[in-house]
Amino acid sequence: MTGAAIAGFLLGGSLIIAIGAQNAFILRQGLVRAHVFVVCLIAAVSDALLIAAGVAGLGTVVARSPVLIGVVTVGGAIFLAGYAVLAFRRALHPHGLEAANRTAAGFWAAVSTCLALTFLNPHVYLDTVLLIGGISGGYQGTARLAFGLGAGVASFVWFFGLGYGARLLAPVFVKPFAWRVLDIIIGLIMAGLAVGLLLRFADS
């Protein structure tokens, strides 16, 4: 059972560490120190719920519905493209860290953006529901539960570590140029994910 939990933790960690939509958003929130606990909690709990759904067998159901996969893919691509545009616009008029603190998004804007980046991003479903859910099928009984629990714990460790660890980079982001670079990188990530989703949908 311990081995299954460790395997789940390592798999979950390896999947979410790669820079993606959620990570880029939480990194930025951590840097401006705006609603960090809330967005980290939303991202971690959302991941845990999706992992639980996958371990419970939902991954198999979703994989058998091309229409559902298509809707999620196109909708996610549109949202990610829109967020990329916003990031590029911020890059045109960067501010230092103090200015960024004053212009941070409001509470509900941060919450809605975090939820959208989670549930409108097909990669999240691929990683949590389909991949982790599918691999968990190799375990039985309490071992399968431990595997899913380990993957869920990895999400909490990573997101809270990223959100609060971002403060260590604060001295770098006093300069507007650093914010310009970060927003350009975020924009490129979002745009790349959007294009990749649309290409995958076109080939399917």
Side-chain angles (χ1 to χ4, degrees):
M1 192 169 164
T2 301
I6 293 174
F9 182 89
L10 294 176
L11 175 63
S14 65
L15 290 174
I16 61 176
I17 286 176
I19 293 297
Q22 276 181 321
N23 288 343
F25 174 72
I26 290 176
L27 174 62
R28 197 175 200 285
Q29 290 298 117
L31 285 168
V32 300
R33 303 187 183 186
H35 319 298
V36 180
F37 178 81
V38 173
V39 296
C40 290
L41 184 63
I42 289 173
V45 170
S46 298
D47 257 22
L49 291 175
L50 291 173
I51 289 170
V55 172
L58 183 60
T60 302
V61 176
V62 174
R64 292 176 180 174
S65 176
V67 174
L68 180 59
I69 292 177
V71 170
V72 172
T73 299
V74 174
I78 292 173
F79 177 80
L80 291 172
Y83 198 88
V85 171
L86 293 177
F88 288 133
R89 287 181 61 184
R90 286 197 306 265
L92 293 175
H93 305 286
H95 300 283
L97 187 57
E98 292 182 2
N101 272 321
R102 290 196 297 269
T103 59
F107 176 80
W108 290 113
V111 168
S112 60
T113 299
C114 189
L115 287 171
L117 286 173
T118 298
F119 293 104
L120 292 182
N121 184 0
H123 287 289
V124 174
Y125 296 95
L126 292 174
D127 289 347
T128 57
V129 178
L130 297 180
L131 185 54
I132 294 178
I135 293 177
S136 71
Y139 297 89
Q140 300 298 324
T142 55
R144 185 171 185 174
L145 179 62
F147 180 86
L149 183 61
V153 169
S155 293
F156 277 85
V157 172
W158 170 254
F159 286 124
F160 278 93
L162 179 65
Y164 286 98
R167 298 182 181 188
L168 299 176
L169 298 174
V172 176
F173 286 88
V174 170
K175 299 180 179 180
F177 177 75
W179 282 101
R180 172 170 285 164
V181 172
L182 177 64
D183 281 323
I184 289 175
I185 292 174
I186 290 175
L188 291 174
I189 290 171
M190 302 298 182
L193 288 172
V195 172
L197 289 174
L198 291 177
L199 290 176
R200 182 181 301 173
F201 178 72
D203 293 337
S204 62

